[in-house]
């Protein structure tokens, strides 16, 4: 089944998300992120990947991010999203927000060494993040530049 473009933003608590075909899941984080929020985001990504028939990109605007609960930070450790997640691309966050996100992602291979990881990239603007996604599509994931990691 071909995934469709969602012109409207859907609600995930205070957060907003939409899908842009063929393979882009966009989340605008607003405020705190709970365990329920994180679980729902990963469920949406898995469902959309299945509909798209391929792994998808997760583009996350964290400029409105508040706190991430400990349970929400730990939840991804239980998952192996490599079948349905091609890369996570984060933009809009300040240095502290990028640092926390980066530390969480770096903890996963330490706590689960056998788990495969997908690229995590940080960018200042949405335009830079989208340009990276386009380049990743063209290169088939062979790029090594991943934005400005803290």
């Amino acid at each position: 089944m071909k995934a469709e473009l969602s012109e409207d933003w859907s609600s995930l608590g205070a957060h907003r998300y939409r899908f842009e075909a063929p393979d882009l899941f966009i989340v605008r984080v607003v405020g705190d992120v709970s365990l329920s929020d994180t679980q729902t985001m990963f469920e949406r990504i898995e469902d959309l990947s299945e509909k798209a028939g391929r792994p998808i990109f997760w583009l996350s605007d964290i400029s409105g991010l508040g706190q991430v609960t400990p349970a929400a930070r730990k939840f991804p450790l239980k998952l192996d999203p490599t079948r349905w997640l091609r890369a996570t691309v984060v933009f809009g966050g300040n240095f502290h927000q990028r640092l926390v996100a980066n530390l969480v992602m770096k903890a996963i291979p330490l706590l689960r060494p056998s788990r495969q990881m997908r690229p995590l990239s940080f960018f200042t603007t949405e335009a830079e993040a989208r340009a990276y996604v386009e380049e990743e599509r063209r290169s088939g994931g062979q790029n090594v530049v991943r934005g400005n990691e803290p």
Side-chain angles (χ1 to χ4, degrees), residues 42-124:
F42 276 102
E43 287 170 6
R44 295 288 188 285
I45 291 167
E46 187 173 10
D47 291 344
L48 291 166
S49 172
E50 190 174 296
K51 289 178 183 175
R54 67 172 112 184
I56 63 175
F57 292 94
W58 180 356
L59 189 71
S60 187
D61 175 0
I62 63 168
S63 59
L65 177 66
Q67 299 295 315
V68 180
T69 67
R73 287 193 303 265
K74 292 176 186 172
F75 178 75
L77 293 172
K78 300 175 183 178
L79 304 176
D80 181 6
T82 54
R83 291 183 337 269
W84 32 270
L85 184 61
R86 185 162 168 189
T88 302
V89 185
V90 179
F91 71 94
N94 62 38
F95 177 80
H96 178 73
Q97 291 166 323
R98 291 191 315 268
L99 181 64
V100 170
N102 199 24
L103 289 173
V104 168
M105 293 304 289
K106 287 185 182 217
I108 293 171
L110 295 173
L111 297 171
R112 293 205 36 211
S114 63
R115 179 176 166 187
Q116 285 186 326
M117 292 296 295
R118 293 295 189 218
L120 171 65
S121 306
F122 295 91
F123 296 92
T124 304

